Every structure is written in structure tokens, then in C-alpha cells.
Amino acid sequence: MPVVDRLDYTTPLLLRHNVAMYLWANGLRKVPKPPYEPFERVDTPPNVAGSFFELAWWRVEAGKCGDKVALIAPGLNGGAYAQPTRGMARALHEEGWDVAVWVYRDTGTNPTSVRRTYSGYGFDDLSAAVDRLGRDYDDISLVGLSLGANIVIQYVCALGDNPVSKAVVFSPPIAFGATVEHWSTSIAGRLAISPLAKRSMKKLVKRKASSTGVVTRDDVKAYRNVRVASEADHYINSEFNEYPGASQYWQKAATLTALATSTTTALLVVLAKDDYMLESHSYPHAENLAPSVTIELTTNGSHISFVPRGWKKHRYWSEQRAIDHLS
């Protein structure tokens, strides 16, 4: 299937620089908080106490199920209230979708009391979320943002015959390990991205420390060794999710080869050529794609940003593109 250059997206002149656009879209943009219903807890697996994730619901008619639902998988530490998640949820809600946001384990209202936490690999929680939605809806769509985009790709490609009709993802770190290494070695990565990754891990460890016996003295000692993003994966993510080390975790999380697997889901992958967070191997070639997969490339757009010309517009280009594909 094709790799398409989207020439219809034009960026504001003052946000032509990819870092400026990212800061505007993910920091300065203010989308009102969605009026989510109380988070729904989903135990997974059902027979393990303290192992769960949550769903944040924004239905067209509160408390009632409509005709269709879109599940949003947020970015790293994004959660239900990150600006890109809010914007996407609002756009889908305005177009008549019931919206469910997948709130990763240990990022919601309560930390889990098991060692396992959320990471860039492992779609069993997403599979459980889709199964939960399938109890009430026949029409299920997926929207993935950054880290969540990568997990959506894992799910729809690994489970070729699945109940999701359409999926759209933005800015997935397809070459997962190369991207994390890029964060750890580039100047921008060491100055900006790695400190954010370390802060995210620190917050996660502190939350899990409140669960007796989950965080040990060895975990705290290992955290002190973390300087860059790759070390956060080695000392924290891999340890909590039972991988021998970061390289094994990255190998599992990479999705470049998964895109060659045919699936019943119509999958659209949208990437910006100027995404400063992604490594060059995150841009696949047409010959490596299954017939059910389409890649769209924009010249600008940065990382899950895609601010439209006229940057104070209510709806961003990515939000409209998601609606067009899912419709």
C-alpha cells in the first residue's frame, strides 16, 4: 500500500520550526478539560488483585451508549488530560462518537499494587479495553498518539482478525530502540527529552512506592543511576516489566516489521517529516507495508502537533484527519 505525501497540510509561518510547534501544541494550547465520567476500573488479568487500568468516558449522552465509540491511546505519561488527548477527544465527541480514553496503569486515579507498569510494549491491556468496549458497541475505532500509537499498531497487526474496523495513529516511534537512543545521544534529547523521561519515571516510582512491597530499596538505588532516557528504560521499565534489559524491551516494542502484517483493520499512520523526537528509521517504505496499512507523510507537523494555518483554530489538522479516516 502507498506512502503518501500530504501536501494539503500547511503550518503557521511562526511555527515552522518543529520545536516551536511542539511547545505550542503540547504546552501553550489550552483545550478545556473534558467532562469525563468517573474513571472506570478494568482489572487485568481478572484474577490478579491490584492489577488494573482505567477508562475515562465522555459519551455523547452521559451514562448511555451511542452507536459508535473511539478509544484514544495517549502518549508517554500523557493521560486523559494532556492537551493532544483533550483536543482529539473533543473533536471526536463533536462528531458524534462516544469517547473512551485508555488511562494506562499507574497514570490514573490510583497506582496498581503489582510491579508491572505501563510501557511501550504489551497490548494485552489494550486488548482488554477493546473487549470491554465490545460489550456495548459494535462499531469500535482506535486513535493512537505517540507511545499509544505504537501500541495500537502492535494490537491491530498482531491480532489480524480483531473487532476494530478502523484505526489512525499519529507520530508512532516505530523504530523504538533507535528513537530512545536518539533521545539519549542528541543534544536536544539530552537537554530536553531525557530529563522529561527521567522525571516521568521518578513520578511513576514515587506513586508505586505508596503500594507496600512494590517498590524496593534496589529500585530506588537503580533510579539514581538514571541520567538519560535509555537508562530509564534499563533500570526502571525493564525491571518493572521483567525484561533482562532495555535492548530486549526495545526489540519487543519496535513495530516496523509489524506493519507488514495484514489485518482486518484499516490502519492509517501519520508522520511528520520534521518530527524531532523520531529517528530516521521510523519512516517505513511502501514495500514493507501490508495492504491494510497506509502511511501519510507531512512536511511539517512536529510530534503529535499538526497545528493548522490560523493557529487559534478550534480543531487541529490531525484531529480532522482522524475524523475523516474513521468516518
Side-chain angles (χ1 to χ4, degrees), residues 29-320:
R29 183 192 190 192
K30 299 301 179 185
V31 180
K33 284 186 176 182
Y36 295 126
E37 300 170 21
F39 287 8
E40 176 184 349
R41 174 169 166 163
V42 180
D43 294 317
T44 179
N47 59 343
V48 177
S51 177
F52 63 91
F53 63 87
E54 294 171 299
L55 293 173
W57 286 96
W58 188 10
R59 295 180 173 92
V60 173
E61 187 175 354
K64 296 184 178 180
C65 297
D67 297 327
K68 56 187 178 181
V69 64
L71 177 65
I72 300 175
L76 176 67
N77 206 35
Y81 293 105
Q83 295 299 327
T85 308
R86 294 188 197 185
M88 188 63 70
R90 180 177 65 181
L92 290 164
H93 182 268
E94 289 173 345
E95 296 296 328
W97 268 274
D98 286 351
V99 176
V101 179
W102 175 21
V103 182
Y104 304 136
R105 51 178 67 217
D106 298 316
T107 67
T109 52
N110 294 292
T112 63
S113 56
V114 295
R115 278 188 66 81
R116 181 188 168 188
T117 186
Y118 84 98
S119 68
Y121 175 75
F123 55 83
D124 51 342
D125 280 1
L126 177 54
S127 182
V130 172
D131 290 346
R132 162 64 188 89
L133 269 54
R135 300 207 304 261
D136 298 321
Y137 299 89
D138 294 324
D139 188 349
I140 303 173
S141 298
L142 296 180
V143 180
L145 307 175
S146 189
L147 182 80
N150 216 46
I151 303 174
V152 168
I153 293 174
Q154 294 167 23
Y155 170 80
V156 300
C157 293
L159 303 178
D161 186 8
N162 64 76
V164 176
S165 57
K166 294 182 179 180
V168 56
V169 299
F170 297 90
S171 310
I174 292 170
F176 200 87
T179 297
V180 177
E181 292 283 19
H182 172 65
W183 296 352
S184 304
T185 57
S186 66
I187 295 176
R190 293 183 70 91
L191 292 178
I193 304 173
S194 282
L196 290 175
K198 182 177 178 179
R199 189 180 308 163
S200 172
M201 290 295 121
K202 183 177 181 180
K203 181 179 179 181
L204 184 148
V205 170
K206 280 187 174 181
R207 290 202 79 199
K208 291 188 78 68
S210 65
S211 302
T212 304
V214 174
V215 175
T216 67
R217 290 183 179 179
D218 288 340
D219 296 323
V220 176
K221 183 179 179 180
Y223 172 76
R224 297 195 183 105
N225 294 319
V226 175
R227 297 166 299 165
V228 293
S230 59
E231 292 174 348
D233 276 346
H234 180 74
Y235 289 111
I236 306 297
N237 251 338
S238 297
E239 286 294 322
F240 275 64
N241 294 292
E242 298 182 344
Y243 291 106
S247 60
Q248 290 84 354
Y249 163 53
W250 296 339
Q251 185 177 6
K252 289 280 190 180
T255 52
L256 187 60
T257 56
L259 291 171
T261 306
S262 293
T263 172
T264 56
T265 303
L267 174 61
L268 173 63
V269 181
V270 182
L271 293 158
K273 295 179 183 179
D274 69 341
D275 191 327
Y276 77 101
M277 286 198 181
L278 299 186
E279 204 270 341
S280 59
H281 291 91
S282 290
Y283 299 86
H285 301 288
E287 60 269 20
N288 298 324
L289 302 178
S292 52
V293 178
T294 300
I295 305 288
E296 291 185 350
L297 302 175
T298 61
T299 302
N300 302 107
S302 193
H303 191 72
I304 52 169
S305 299
F306 301 98
V307 183
R309 183 70 64 90
W311 55 15
K312 292 186 178 180
K313 284 185 177 178
H314 177 74
R315 185 175 294 175
Y316 277 15
W317 181 87
S318 52
E319 294 156 9
Q320 186 60 50

